[in-house]
Amino acid sequence: MSYQTPRGTYDILPEEIGKWHDVEQTIRKITKNYRYHEIRTPYFESTNVFARKNDSSDMVNKEMYTFSMGHDSYTLRPEGTAGVIRAFDQHKLYGRMELPARFYYMGAMFRHERPQKGRQRQFHQFGVENIGLKTPEIDAETIALGYDIVKAMDISSVKVLINTLGDDESRVAYREALRAYFTPYLPELCADCHRRLEQNPLRILDCKEDADKEFMKNAPKLSDYLNEESKEYFSRVLAALDALHIPYEINEQLVRGLDYYTHTVFEVVSTRSDSGAQGTIFGGGRYDHFVEYFGGPEMSGIGFAIGLERLIDLAEKEGHDFKEDDHTDVYVIGLGDVAGNVLSVVQTLRHAGFVVEGNLVQRSMKAQFKSADRCNASYIVILGEDEVKQGTVNLKKSGEKEQSSVAVDELVSVLQERMNG
Ligand code: HAM
């Protein structure tokens, strides 16, 4: 019998965690510059937070981890936006925060997808939601944040794909046109697209199974159904991106896989040939009706989420130098029956702010020096029975032969002086 992580999940081992810390720190630093505030919502919510109305997305219809406890149904969060908006409304933050209210979150999300490279069942997202005001410049500013993060991770082979889904009026007109267009092709559409035709024909444009079919090419284009207001909004978003020197490509096929979007939608994709089928690093868009849906006022928001596994993978491929902080300031070696004394020195040094490892079992000196080496210790403190009697320790810099005797009481100040001097 062997125990393994469930399919589509994985362990992040200590040898990998440095990369995560690096990316998390970079993200926190940049988001702070933009004045975003962290929000932490539960990893599971009542199912109706995600399964809204007649939602047509694959995420809601096919990929949710839903379970019942008593009479209640819960779902592991497949994405972060719904939980944030639920919290925004539940705590009436719209009345208490400066608008736009800027939130960010980082953590695991769960989708029952077919696992492959870059696609897991438990994965991690960093996401932002920018709620309460609606201007094309805010849309551009939101995209700029994601773009800044990608750049800070030294990823340059990317492009921003952008599109508009227009306002309600434009989308209703477009949906009708799509429904009329696809209905005669019903026998050729996959089973999921039969449902999509009913629920939301926009989803058909996103179907992987039907993507290459001939009739897909001539499907009506959303741009032909946009009203003047929607066109004007979109052109101002593009102008704002131009002003920020953020290159983009308008992609009329981009409709995004989630149901809540209105107006601007965008994705940032890798242009590397080795990034595989899962080249989308982040995606997002504006939503006009989400805040109202959970009982709040009529307020628009915009956000995106970055897949952290994909971000780290690409950063690695592009040669980002991950700052992995795995240093040890001091390793304390004990010779003879002195484990108690070693522990006391170790704790004194830790409380003074040093990163310390100590040997608390009886082992040969050679083995202990080897451990000190493996811990990458800058300094080594050696404590034998004679030193204990004298109230001293021997101190030496790693890699150097010379060692000096230091009174235990002075060890902290001597180390501070040597390390800072
Ligand atoms: P999404 O496009 O579903 O959007 O996911 C955003 C990103 O999460 C993707 O671009 C990808 O990098 C990553 N991702 C998604 N599924 C997986 C998976 N199975 N394995 C690995 N990475 C994955 C959202 O989730 C929206 N909530 C974004 C948003 C925020 N829109 C507005 N605000």
Side-chain angles (χ1 to χ4, degrees), residues 94-182:
Y94 43 81
R96 293 200 261 142
M97 289 180 78
E98 174 67 18
L99 299 181
R102 299 173 191 269
F103 302 99
Y104 83 87
Y105 48 90
M106 255 194 272
M109 307 288 160
F110 308 85
R111 296 185 193 178
H112 192 263
E113 295 193 79
R114 200 166 47 79
Q116 62 180 76
K117 175 128 192 55
R119 195 205 281 154
Q120 297 84 26
R121 290 182 171 170
Q122 178 182 311
F123 58 99
H124 297 80
Q125 279 187 348
F126 155 73
V128 301
E129 310 301 339
N130 190 324
I131 313 170
L133 297 179
K134 178 177 174 183
T135 72
E137 289 70 27
I138 291 179
D139 296 20
E141 183 201 30
T142 308
I143 296 171
L145 166 61
Y147 197 69
D148 277 358
I149 290 171
V150 166
K151 291 282 158 196
M153 296 309 294
D154 296 317
I155 300 170
S156 49
S157 6
V158 286
K159 60 181 176 186
V160 179
L161 305 179
I162 190 163
N163 193 19
T164 179
L165 300 181
D167 62 7
D168 296 346
E169 186 186 86
S170 308
R171 255 186 348 279
V172 167
Y174 183 51
R175 275 195 197 140
E176 281 320 307
L178 284 177
R179 206 166 269 136
Y181 177 80
F182 282 121

XYZ file of all heavy atoms in Angstrom, residues 94-182:
728
model
N -18.531 48.455 0.619
C -18.758 49.568 -0.307
C -19.056 50.860 0.440
O -18.866 51.947 -0.076
C -19.888 49.235 -1.292
C -21.077 48.570 -0.641
C -22.043 49.295 0.031
C -21.212 47.180 -0.695
C -23.114 48.680 0.648
C -22.282 46.548 -0.076
C -23.231 47.298 0.593
O -24.282 46.683 1.211
N -19.537 50.732 1.692
C -19.842 51.936 2.467
C -18.672 52.378 3.335
O -18.700 53.444 3.927
N -17.651 51.544 3.447
C -16.569 51.818 4.392
C -15.218 52.055 3.745
O -14.303 52.544 4.379
C -16.399 50.610 5.332
C -17.561 50.398 6.245
C -17.131 49.554 7.406
N -17.487 48.164 7.266
C -16.723 47.157 7.648
N -15.525 47.406 8.130
N -17.134 45.918 7.530
N -15.083 51.636 2.496
C -13.756 51.749 1.866
C -13.734 52.839 0.815
O -14.749 53.142 0.190
C -13.366 50.416 1.212
C -13.031 49.328 2.217
S -12.581 47.767 1.425
C -10.890 48.069 0.915
N -12.567 53.401 0.653
C -12.351 54.359 -0.419
C -12.528 53.609 -1.757
O -12.044 52.495 -1.911
C -10.905 54.884 -0.268
C -10.402 55.794 -1.353
C -11.119 57.126 -1.378
O -11.765 57.498 -0.373
O -11.054 57.783 -2.427
N -13.254 54.216 -2.686
C -13.474 53.547 -3.975
C -12.525 54.105 -5.026
O -12.269 55.306 -5.025
C -14.920 53.726 -4.422
C -15.974 53.125 -3.475
C -17.374 53.346 -4.041
C -15.750 51.633 -3.232
N -12.011 53.294 -5.923
C -12.269 51.870 -6.004
C -11.620 51.123 -4.841
O -10.497 51.418 -4.464
C -11.608 51.460 -7.327
C -10.523 52.449 -7.540
C -11.027 53.733 -6.944
N -12.365 50.148 -4.307
C -11.801 49.294 -3.261
C -10.895 48.291 -3.967
O -11.297 47.660 -4.941
C -12.923 48.574 -2.532
N -9.670 48.212 -3.492
C -8.692 47.357 -4.189
C -8.318 46.176 -3.302
O -7.765 46.363 -2.228
C -7.439 48.156 -4.510
C -7.660 49.344 -5.427
C -6.364 50.128 -5.518
N -6.521 51.414 -6.156
C -6.369 51.621 -7.453
N -6.096 50.628 -8.247
N -6.503 52.842 -7.947
N -8.613 44.981 -3.792
C -8.323 43.761 -3.039
C -7.359 42.870 -3.808
O -7.427 42.809 -5.023
C -9.597 42.934 -2.833
C -10.691 43.669 -2.116
C -11.730 44.245 -2.832
C -10.682 43.771 -0.735
C -12.746 44.923 -2.178
C -11.699 44.439 -0.075
C -12.735 45.022 -0.796
N -6.515 42.170 -3.055
C -5.771 41.084 -3.702
C -5.818 39.848 -2.818
O -6.073 39.937 -1.619
C -4.329 41.501 -4.020
C -3.321 41.388 -2.910
C -2.625 40.202 -2.677
C -3.024 42.475 -2.097
C -1.679 40.108 -1.664
C -2.082 42.387 -1.077
C -1.417 41.209 -0.866
O -0.485 41.107 0.136
N -5.604 38.720 -3.432
C -5.615 37.446 -2.693
C -4.617 36.500 -3.331
O -4.287 36.609 -4.512
C -7.018 36.807 -2.710
C -7.649 36.760 -4.083
C -7.463 35.681 -4.943
C -8.420 37.833 -4.543
C -8.034 35.656 -6.215
C -8.988 37.816 -5.814
C -8.790 36.738 -6.638
O -9.338 36.730 -7.893
N -4.140 35.576 -2.511
C -3.226 34.555 -3.008
C -3.593 33.267 -2.327
O -3.775 33.246 -1.110
C -1.789 34.915 -2.626
C -0.988 35.433 -3.780
S 0.748 35.473 -3.446
C 0.970 37.068 -2.710
N -3.712 32.202 -3.066
C -4.006 30.929 -2.409
C -4.465 29.874 -3.384
O -4.513 30.100 -4.601
N -4.811 28.712 -2.812
C -5.161 27.558 -3.637
C -6.586 27.667 -4.164
O -7.474 28.207 -3.502
C -5.006 26.287 -2.813
N -6.776 27.172 -5.379
C -8.087 27.059 -6.013
C -8.218 25.600 -6.470
O -7.206 24.916 -6.656
C -8.191 27.973 -7.242
C -7.836 29.418 -6.978
S -9.095 30.256 -5.996
C -8.152 31.651 -5.375
N -9.448 25.162 -6.673
C -9.669 23.741 -6.952
C -10.603 23.573 -8.149
O -11.722 24.091 -8.138
C -10.301 23.070 -5.724
C -9.524 23.343 -4.458
C -9.752 24.505 -3.715
C -8.536 22.468 -4.043
C -9.022 24.781 -2.564
C -7.802 22.727 -2.891
C -8.033 23.890 -2.147
N -10.133 22.880 -9.162
C -10.993 22.595 -10.325
C -10.747 21.162 -10.760
O -9.597 20.748 -10.917
C -10.673 23.543 -11.490
C -10.977 24.992 -11.180
C -10.763 25.888 -12.395
N -10.763 27.285 -11.978
C -10.553 28.311 -12.789
N -10.343 28.108 -14.071
N -10.564 29.545 -12.323
N -11.831 20.457 -10.964
C -11.698 19.066 -11.385
C -11.515 19.015 -12.898
O -12.433 18.727 -13.653
C -12.931 18.267 -10.944
C -12.729 16.801 -11.087
N -13.164 16.094 -12.178
C -12.099 15.906 -10.294
C -12.822 14.831 -12.046
N -12.177 14.698 -10.907
N -10.290 19.340 -13.321
C -9.967 19.340 -14.745
C -9.089 18.141 -15.044
O -8.563 17.508 -14.133
C -9.192 20.610 -15.101
C -10.002 21.876 -14.918
C -9.326 23.069 -15.566
O -9.429 23.190 -16.789
O -8.697 23.859 -14.842
N -8.883 17.860 -16.331
C -7.965 16.784 -16.690
C -6.547 17.300 -16.502
O -6.147 18.247 -17.171
C -8.203 16.359 -18.143
C -7.668 14.971 -18.475
C -8.235 14.465 -19.797
N -8.149 15.485 -20.839
C -7.037 15.780 -21.513
N -5.924 15.142 -21.264
N -7.041 16.714 -22.445
N -5.794 16.718 -15.563
C -4.472 17.278 -15.286
C -3.518 17.115 -16.461
O -3.561 16.112 -17.161
C -3.969 16.448 -14.102
C -5.163 15.759 -13.557
C -6.105 15.570 -14.703
N -2.728 18.098 -16.688
C -1.620 18.023 -17.641
C -0.637 19.115 -17.266
O -0.860 19.829 -16.288
C -2.122 18.193 -19.080
C -2.781 19.540 -19.358
C -3.256 19.636 -20.795
O -4.271 19.044 -21.132
N -2.546 20.370 -21.616
N 0.437 19.236 -18.013
C 1.441 20.241 -17.649
C 0.791 21.616 -17.591
O 0.109 22.037 -18.522
C 2.565 20.205 -18.692
C 3.593 21.247 -18.510
C 5.014 20.690 -18.469
C 5.999 21.731 -17.990
N 5.677 22.332 -16.713
N 0.963 22.297 -16.467
C 0.393 23.640 -16.352
C -1.088 23.648 -15.977
O -1.702 24.701 -15.898
N -1.647 22.463 -15.797
C -3.056 22.426 -15.372
C -3.215 21.406 -14.253
O -3.028 20.205 -14.467
C -3.948 22.056 -16.556
C -5.412 22.363 -16.269
C -6.316 21.494 -17.081
N -6.471 21.917 -18.458
C -6.787 21.067 -19.441
N -6.940 19.789 -19.191
N -6.937 21.506 -20.666
N -3.516 21.916 -13.065
C -3.663 21.027 -11.911
C -5.092 21.091 -11.379
O -5.871 21.963 -11.764
C -2.708 21.455 -10.775
C -1.230 21.382 -11.109
C -0.735 22.619 -11.825
O -1.301 23.698 -11.680
N 0.308 22.470 -12.624
N -5.380 20.177 -10.484
C -6.700 20.215 -9.837
C -6.667 21.113 -8.602
O -7.663 21.709 -8.246
C -7.143 18.800 -9.494
C -7.478 18.046 -10.766
C -7.964 16.645 -10.516
N -8.453 16.095 -11.773
C -8.776 14.836 -11.962
N -8.658 13.973 -10.964
N -9.226 14.431 -13.130
N -5.529 21.153 -7.949
C -5.305 22.215 -6.953
C -4.182 23.072 -7.492
O -3.082 22.562 -7.773
C -4.919 21.657 -5.586
C -4.645 22.813 -4.610
C -4.204 22.378 -3.230
O -4.812 21.521 -2.623
N -3.143 23.004 -2.746
N -4.453 24.348 -7.700
C -3.429 25.252 -8.208
C -3.532 26.543 -7.407
O -4.425 26.700 -6.579
C -3.630 25.508 -9.708
C -4.974 26.096 -10.049
C -5.131 27.461 -10.268
C -6.101 25.289 -10.112
C -6.379 28.002 -10.563
C -7.351 25.823 -10.402
C -7.488 27.183 -10.625
N -2.599 27.440 -7.649
C -2.575 28.666 -6.847
C -2.750 29.892 -7.733
O -2.174 29.969 -8.808
C -1.255 28.775 -6.081
C -1.076 27.656 -5.101
N -0.646 26.400 -5.492
C -1.306 27.583 -3.776
C -0.612 25.610 -4.433
N -1.015 26.300 -3.372
N -3.529 30.791 -7.241
C -3.726 32.046 -7.976
C -3.325 33.224 -7.108
O -3.511 33.217 -5.891
C -5.204 32.236 -8.318
C -5.693 31.486 -9.536
C -7.128 31.875 -9.892
O -7.828 32.527 -9.111
N -7.574 31.466 -11.060
N -2.791 34.227 -7.776
C -2.759 35.571 -7.199
C -3.797 36.335 -8.009
O -3.768 36.309 -9.236
C -1.375 36.211 -7.366
C -1.427 37.711 -7.352
C -1.649 38.389 -6.168
C -1.306 38.441 -8.526
C -1.748 39.775 -6.152
C -1.397 39.824 -8.519
C -1.611 40.487 -7.327
N -4.731 36.987 -7.323
C -5.751 37.711 -8.060
C -6.014 39.077 -7.450
O -5.692 39.323 -6.273
N -6.554 39.975 -8.252
C -6.965 41.284 -7.727
C -8.388 41.592 -8.166
O -8.834 41.123 -9.207
C -6.055 42.446 -8.216
C -4.619 42.222 -7.801
C -6.152 42.668 -9.709
N -9.067 42.354 -7.337
C -10.383 42.877 -7.703
C -10.372 44.359 -7.352
O -9.925 44.744 -6.271
C -11.510 42.153 -6.942
C -11.461 40.624 -6.989
C -11.531 40.011 -8.385
O -12.019 40.702 -9.320
O -11.084 38.872 -8.564
N -10.851 45.145 -8.285
C -10.789 46.591 -8.186
C -12.236 47.064 -8.350
O -12.756 47.077 -9.462
C -9.902 47.038 -9.359
C -9.527 48.469 -9.309
O -10.315 49.317 -8.897
N -8.325 48.771 -9.757
N -12.893 47.369 -7.236
C -14.355 47.462 -7.267
C -14.877 48.864 -6.942
O -14.393 49.516 -6.008
C -14.991 46.484 -6.240
C -14.353 45.102 -6.362
C -16.496 46.380 -6.435
C -14.747 44.149 -5.253
N -15.892 49.284 -7.668
C -16.629 50.476 -7.252
C -16.622 51.614 -8.245
O -17.511 52.461 -8.211
N -15.627 51.677 -9.118
C -15.600 52.744 -10.119
C -15.359 52.105 -11.484
O -14.717 51.067 -11.590
C -14.495 53.763 -9.824
C -14.616 54.551 -8.515
C -13.433 55.496 -8.358
C -15.924 55.334 -8.461
N -15.879 52.779 -12.488
C -15.737 52.212 -13.825
C -15.253 53.281 -14.793
O -15.999 54.212 -15.107
C -17.100 51.685 -14.276
C -17.126 51.097 -15.666
C -18.513 50.559 -15.958
C -18.640 50.085 -17.365
N -20.009 49.645 -17.650
N -14.001 53.183 -15.186
C -13.495 54.049 -16.255
C -12.518 53.223 -17.085
O -11.894 52.282 -16.568
C -12.726 55.291 -15.737
O -11.464 54.856 -15.213
C -13.476 56.057 -14.676
N -12.345 53.560 -18.342
C -11.388 52.821 -19.180
C -9.976 52.884 -18.602
O -9.190 51.942 -18.742
C -11.452 53.552 -20.521
C -12.785 54.235 -20.526
C -13.083 54.585 -19.109
N -9.670 53.998 -17.924
C -8.319 54.148 -17.365
C -8.102 53.141 -16.223
O -6.990 52.647 -16.026
C -8.095 55.582 -16.861
C -7.962 56.616 -17.967
C -9.274 56.892 -18.710
O -10.364 56.722 -18.108
O -9.225 57.265 -19.901
N -9.153 52.850 -15.453
C -9.019 51.837 -14.389
C -8.780 50.457 -15.021
O -7.994 49.657 -14.518
C -10.262 51.839 -13.467
C -10.284 53.144 -12.656
C -10.261 50.619 -12.536
C -11.466 53.291 -11.725
N -9.415 50.196 -16.134
C -9.188 48.921 -16.827
C -7.721 48.808 -17.229
O -7.068 47.785 -16.995
C -10.066 48.809 -18.088
C -11.552 48.782 -17.757
O -11.926 49.220 -16.658
O -12.342 48.318 -18.603
N -7.203 49.886 -17.806
C -5.804 49.873 -18.249
C -4.860 49.754 -17.051
O -3.869 49.025 -17.093
C -5.494 51.148 -19.036
N -5.202 50.449 -15.982
C -4.363 50.398 -14.766
C -4.305 48.969 -14.209
O -3.259 48.500 -13.750
C -4.961 51.340 -13.713
C -4.169 51.435 -12.433
C -5.003 51.940 -11.262
O -6.230 51.699 -11.239
O -4.421 52.581 -10.377
N -5.444 48.271 -14.270
C -5.496 46.899 -13.754
C -4.623 45.974 -14.603
O -3.861 45.155 -14.074
C -6.959 46.395 -13.732
O -7.747 47.367 -13.041
C -7.083 45.058 -13.053
N -4.720 46.137 -15.905
C -3.881 45.319 -16.793
C -2.405 45.642 -16.544
O -1.544 44.758 -16.519
C -4.254 45.566 -18.278
C -5.695 45.100 -18.523
C -3.277 44.868 -19.218
C -6.275 45.466 -19.880
N -2.125 46.924 -16.306
C -0.737 47.359 -16.080
C -0.138 46.675 -14.854
O 1.038 46.304 -14.852
C -0.672 48.875 -15.917
N -0.946 46.466 -13.827
C -0.446 45.792 -12.624
C 0.014 44.367 -12.964
O 1.117 43.952 -12.611
C -1.530 45.755 -11.534
C -1.274 44.794 -10.367
C -0.008 45.150 -9.612
C -2.462 44.772 -9.405
N -0.850 43.643 -13.674
C -0.480 42.271 -14.061
C 0.762 42.266 -14.929
O 1.659 41.423 -14.761
N 0.825 43.221 -15.827
C 1.955 43.320 -16.739
C 3.246 43.623 -15.965
O 4.294 43.051 -16.226
C 1.649 44.431 -17.746
C 2.515 44.388 -18.980
C 2.382 43.361 -19.918
C 3.456 45.385 -19.226
C 3.167 43.328 -21.056
C 4.246 45.361 -20.362
C 4.096 44.325 -21.266
O 4.880 44.297 -22.391
N 3.152 44.501 -14.978
C 4.316 44.831 -14.136
C 4.841 43.592 -13.421
O 6.050 43.393 -13.294
C 3.933 45.866 -13.059
C 3.969 47.286 -13.599
O 4.330 47.468 -14.781
O 3.629 48.217 -12.837
N 3.911 42.758 -12.943
C 4.321 41.554 -12.207
C 5.043 40.582 -13.143
O 6.099 40.049 -12.820
C 3.101 40.893 -11.526
C 2.628 41.792 -10.378
C 3.428 39.490 -11.022
C 1.325 41.382 -9.748
N 4.469 40.400 -14.315
C 5.092 39.496 -15.287
C 6.503 39.992 -15.640
O 7.463 39.226 -15.707
C 4.176 39.389 -16.531
C 4.907 38.768 -17.697
C 2.929 38.570 -16.194
N 6.625 41.296 -15.824
C 7.944 41.881 -16.156
C 8.927 41.728 -14.990
O 10.104 41.455 -15.205
C 7.803 43.379 -16.488
C 7.085 43.627 -17.784
C 8.015 43.375 -18.961
C 7.193 43.096 -20.195
N 7.857 42.497 -21.294
N 8.414 41.932 -13.779
C 9.300 41.817 -12.610
C 9.836 40.401 -12.457
O 10.872 40.186 -11.833
C 8.561 42.243 -11.341
N 9.120 39.426 -13.019
C 9.618 38.051 -12.973
C 10.470 37.742 -14.207
O 10.752 36.576 -14.500
C 8.432 37.060 -12.899
C 7.585 37.154 -11.646
S 8.510 37.093 -10.105
C 9.148 35.419 -10.145
N 10.852 38.793 -14.937
C 11.733 38.681 -16.113
C 11.113 37.903 -17.271
O 11.838 37.318 -18.082
C 13.086 38.038 -15.735
C 13.856 38.904 -14.764
O 13.886 40.135 -14.979
O 14.404 38.369 -13.781
N 9.800 37.879 -17.316
C 9.146 37.176 -18.425
C 8.881 38.201 -19.520
O 8.106 39.140 -19.336
C 7.819 36.534 -17.958
C 8.102 35.530 -16.839
C 7.100 35.859 -19.112
C 6.867 35.012 -16.144
N 9.563 38.017 -20.660
C 9.344 39.016 -21.713
C 8.620 38.440 -22.925
O 8.030 39.188 -23.702
C 10.667 39.660 -22.122
O 11.599 38.651 -22.360
N 8.663 37.108 -23.091
C 7.953 36.574 -24.260
C 6.477 36.368 -23.946
O 6.023 35.251 -23.761
C 8.570 35.270 -24.741
O 9.564 34.819 -23.889
N 5.788 37.480 -23.839
C 4.349 37.424 -23.573
C 3.626 38.431 -24.461
O 4.227 39.380 -24.949
C 4.014 37.827 -22.110
C 4.393 36.743 -21.143
C 4.605 39.153 -21.734
N 2.346 38.178 -24.657
C 1.548 39.234 -25.272
C 0.220 39.373 -24.553
O -0.304 38.402 -23.987
C 1.377 39.010 -26.766
C 0.698 37.746 -27.153
C 0.618 37.667 -28.675
C 0.018 36.340 -29.103
N 0.041 36.127 -30.530
N -0.286 40.602 -24.587
C -1.578 40.894 -23.965
C -2.637 40.765 -25.054
O -2.548 41.431 -26.091
C -1.603 42.335 -23.407
C -2.956 42.649 -22.786
C -0.479 42.560 -22.414
N -3.585 39.882 -24.832
C -4.724 39.774 -25.753
C -5.891 40.499 -25.108
O -6.130 40.349 -23.910
C -5.093 38.314 -25.973
C -3.989 37.383 -26.466
C -4.513 35.967 -26.623
C -3.427 37.890 -27.791
N -6.586 41.274 -25.896
C -7.669 42.057 -25.307
C -8.882 42.057 -26.228
O -8.756 41.935 -27.458
C -7.178 43.500 -25.002
C -8.192 44.258 -24.172
C -6.801 44.249 -26.270
C -7.642 45.493 -23.495
N -10.039 42.146 -25.615
C -11.273 42.196 -26.404
C -12.330 42.894 -25.554
O -12.121 43.153 -24.365
C -11.733 40.768 -26.742
C -12.814 40.732 -27.805
O -12.995 41.700 -28.545
N -13.530 39.638 -27.885
N -13.436 43.209 -26.164
C -14.548 43.723 -25.364
C -15.778 42.865 -25.609
O -16.012 42.414 -26.732
C -14.874 45.198 -25.694
O -15.992 45.593 -24.887
C -15.195 45.412 -27.162
N -16.506 42.609 -24.538
C -17.782 41.891 -24.679
C -18.932 42.891 -24.744
O -20.093 42.510 -24.840
C -17.978 40.935 -23.501
C -16.906 39.853 -23.339
C -17.228 38.953 -22.160
C -16.772 39.020 -24.612
N -18.600 44.180 -24.632
C -19.606 45.211 -24.742
C -20.542 45.272 -23.551
O -20.399 44.523 -22.577
N -21.491 46.161 -23.619
C -22.463 46.277 -22.527
C -23.596 45.268 -22.718
O -23.585 44.476 -23.670
C -22.976 47.719 -22.410
C -23.695 48.167 -23.681
O -23.911 47.321 -24.585
O -24.040 49.349 -23.771
N -24.596 45.304 -21.839
C -25.673 44.297 -21.882
C -26.379 44.289 -23.237
O -26.620 43.241 -23.813
C -26.709 44.589 -20.783
C -26.102 44.462 -19.409
O -24.995 43.899 -19.315
O -26.711 44.944 -18.445
N -26.690 45.498 -23.704
C -27.447 45.602 -24.949
C -26.682 44.935 -26.097
O -27.235 44.142 -26.854
C -27.676 47.092 -25.258
C -28.559 47.340 -26.444
C -28.614 48.835 -26.770
O -27.714 49.308 -27.501
O -29.526 49.510 -26.277
N -25.386 45.243 -26.166
C -24.568 44.681 -27.251
C -24.500 43.161 -27.146
O -24.608 42.448 -28.146
C -23.136 45.223 -27.188
O -23.147 46.623 -27.137
N -24.332 42.679 -25.925
C -24.175 41.235 -25.750
C -25.463 40.470 -26.038
O -25.435 39.382 -26.600
C -23.675 40.913 -24.350
C -22.210 40.518 -24.348
C -21.709 40.053 -23.023
N -22.586 40.303 -21.913
C -22.697 41.459 -21.274
N -21.965 42.480 -21.644
N -23.543 41.603 -20.280
N -26.605 41.066 -25.660
C -27.889 40.406 -25.941
C -28.063 40.265 -27.449
O -28.402 39.201 -27.972
C -29.066 41.191 -25.302
C -30.406 40.710 -25.852
C -29.024 41.049 -23.785
N -27.757 41.350 -28.165
C -27.896 41.320 -29.624
C -26.960 40.271 -30.227
O -27.331 39.501 -31.118
C -27.576 42.702 -30.201
N -25.762 40.209 -29.703
C -24.770 39.270 -30.230
C -25.167 37.824 -29.935
O -25.058 36.946 -30.794
C -23.401 39.585 -29.618
C -22.287 38.731 -30.151
C -22.084 38.591 -31.524
C -21.418 38.059 -29.281
C -21.053 37.809 -32.019
C -20.377 37.274 -29.770
C -20.203 37.146 -31.136
O -19.180 36.377 -31.628
N -25.638 37.584 -28.720
C -26.059 36.221 -28.363
C -27.153 35.728 -29.302
O -27.143 34.577 -29.740
C -26.600 36.191 -26.935
C -25.502 36.020 -25.938
C -26.040 35.621 -24.591
N -24.996 35.879 -23.617
C -25.177 36.380 -22.417
N -26.395 36.679 -22.006
N -24.172 36.572 -21.612
N -28.079 36.631 -29.596
C -29.178 36.244 -30.501
C -28.627 35.879 -31.868
O -29.042 34.909 -32.492
C -30.216 37.379 -30.605
C -31.158 37.437 -29.409
C -31.580 36.041 -28.933
O -32.056 35.251 -29.770
O -31.404 35.725 -27.729
N -27.669 36.692 -32.336
C -27.079 36.437 -33.653
C -26.356 35.092 -33.659
O -26.460 34.319 -34.611
C -26.109 37.561 -34.012
N -25.653 34.800 -32.565
C -24.925 33.521 -32.486
C -25.900 32.354 -32.458
O -25.707 31.335 -33.117
C -24.060 33.478 -31.226
C -22.769 34.281 -31.239
C -22.081 34.177 -29.882
C -21.810 33.785 -32.324
N -26.964 32.523 -31.692
C -27.954 31.442 -31.577
C -28.536 31.140 -32.961
O -28.634 29.982 -33.367
C -29.049 31.859 -30.597
C -29.716 30.681 -29.944
C -30.561 31.086 -28.733
N -29.825 31.059 -27.492
C -29.878 32.012 -26.561
N -30.632 33.088 -26.759
N -29.186 31.899 -25.451
N -28.881 32.197 -33.684
C -29.460 32.011 -35.019
C -28.440 31.341 -35.946
O -28.771 30.465 -36.739
C -29.882 33.368 -35.583
N -27.188 31.730 -35.801
C -26.149 31.180 -36.683
C -25.871 29.704 -36.399
O -25.766 28.890 -37.313
C -24.854 31.994 -36.519
C -23.712 31.447 -37.341
C -23.615 31.723 -38.714
C -22.749 30.629 -36.765
C -22.578 31.199 -39.480
C -21.706 30.094 -37.513
C -21.619 30.382 -38.867
O -20.603 29.867 -39.617
N -25.768 29.354 -35.102
C -25.360 27.985 -34.761
C -26.502 26.969 -34.813
O -26.250 25.770 -34.944
C -24.708 27.951 -33.368
C -23.288 28.452 -33.360
C -22.919 29.541 -32.575
C -22.313 27.834 -34.145
C -21.603 30.005 -32.568
C -21.003 28.299 -34.142
C -20.645 29.384 -33.357
